[in-house]
Amino acid sequence: MTRMTPTTRSLAPIGRGDLLRLGVLAAEAEAGLSARHPHGAARNAGRLLCRALCQGAALHFLDGKNGVKDFDVWSFYAALDDGPFPYQWRGTADFGPSKFGRYTGHPPSYTGRRADFLGRSLRAPHGTDRQPRCATTCPQRTQQQRKH
């Protein structure tokens, strides 16, 4: 692995396995939040609509040019009548050793790229399919996007 500077972004492609790992890390971070706040975040159990890879890593997934500094994953939940998902919550995790390397601007305890997790409630019509979609349902890249 090459030595990385704080401004270096990984140009390694983001694959399905990477998206699955991010989905698992997000679920673990949210489970921790629910365990700490059983009358708050735990109320959203079973209401996950989808998870989405966002910001720079999402652009890199699509264009292969942006590079990955860190991963930002948003989870969206069907809104409850008695209050939203805790909008100020932000979880973090270490993606761990991988082809993406390590961003040296992250804490020394991180062995890989940092993953940030955020959540929001969305008004969803009654009867909305609430089966978790995770980041794996991102649209497939086209052949042209894969060439770049």
Side-chain angles (χ1 to χ4, degrees):
M1 180 173 18
T2 60
R3 182 175 165 87
M4 297 170 58
T5 64
T7 58
T8 301
R9 293 176 178 262
S10 171
L11 295 175
I14 299 171
R16 180 178 170 86
D18 304 316
L19 296 176
L20 289 170
R21 173 141 176 76
L22 289 166
V24 168
L25 290 172
E28 289 171 353
E30 291 160 15
L33 174 67
S34 293
R36 292 187 305 276
H37 302 284
H39 300 294
R43 299 172 308 119
N44 292 286
R47 301 185 69 82
L48 179 67
L49 296 170
C50 72
R51 289 202 171 95
L53 180 63
C54 298
Q55 297 185 7
L59 180 59
H60 181 67
F61 177 79
L62 293 173
D63 73 10
K65 297 175 186 176
N66 188 66
V68 175
K69 179 177 132 187
D70 61 6
F71 296 100
D72 297 285
V73 178
W74 283 77
S75 296
F76 297 97
Y77 290 87
L80 295 166
D81 292 336
D82 63 347
F85 184 87
Y87 64 90
Q88 293 180 335
W89 176 75
R90 178 180 164 262
T92 60
D94 181 358
F95 189 80
S98 72
K99 63 187 173 189
F100 302 108
R102 182 183 178 283
Y103 179 70
T104 58
H106 294 154
S109 61
Y110 279 61
T111 59
R113 301 282 168 162
R114 186 183 71 230
D116 295 325
F117 308 109
L118 300 107
R120 289 292 185 273
S121 297
L122 300 176
R123 290 192 180 147
H126 181 69
T128 298
D129 179 5
R130 293 188 179 119
Q131 294 299 313
R133 300 263 186 267
C134 280
T136 60
T137 59
C138 290
Q140 294 295 317
R141 292 177 284 183
T142 65
Q143 290 291 358
Q144 183 178 10
Q145 288 171 322
R146 289 184 190 133
K147 290 178 186 176
H148 296 316

